Amino acid sequence: GPSEIIMNEQNGLLVETGNIYAMSDAITRLINDPLLKNRLGKQAMHINDTNNAQQIFKQWENLILKHVPQRYQPAALIL
């Protein structure tokens, strides 16, 4: 989920699920603190570097190949 990708106060703000007051406070912080908004936004851009589709596919491929006996592995796995 989001808490596996977002690091609170580093590349985003995490709030408790369903807590509308915490969500409101987080939004208010971003509105009132443009430096925080810009810092978090710049750091959040790096999330795409490690969590894009190509990276995720490569992780799945590595996991599958790790657990499939060598004789059943294709020359190249296409996802």
Side-chain angles (χ1 to χ4, degrees):
S3 63
E4 295 173 8
I5 298 171
I6 299 170
M7 295 177 289
N8 194 40
E9 300 287 338
Q10 293 181 30
N11 60 4
L13 298 175
L14 293 173
V15 297
E16 181 183 357
T17 301
N19 187 336
I20 61 172
Y21 300 108
M23 177 64 85
S24 175
D25 288 344
I27 293 169
T28 300
R29 280 184 64 199
L30 294 172
I31 291 170
N32 292 327
D33 189 343
L35 293 176
L36 174 66
K37 178 188 76 166
N38 289 334
R39 181 175 58 82
L40 295 178
K42 286 179 184 176
Q43 292 300 317
M45 298 283 282
H46 297 291
I47 291 172
N48 288 334
D49 297 337
T50 57
N51 292 287
N52 62 48
Q54 186 175 9
Q55 291 292 331
I56 299 299
F57 290 152
K58 187 66 178 168
Q59 290 174 5
W60 273 109
E61 179 181 30
N62 291 337
L63 180 66
I64 291 166
L65 293 177
K66 179 180 174 183
H67 295 284
V68 172
Q70 185 75 29
R71 67 180 180 268
Y72 296 116
Q73 292 182 17
L77 185 62
I78 300 172
L79 296 176

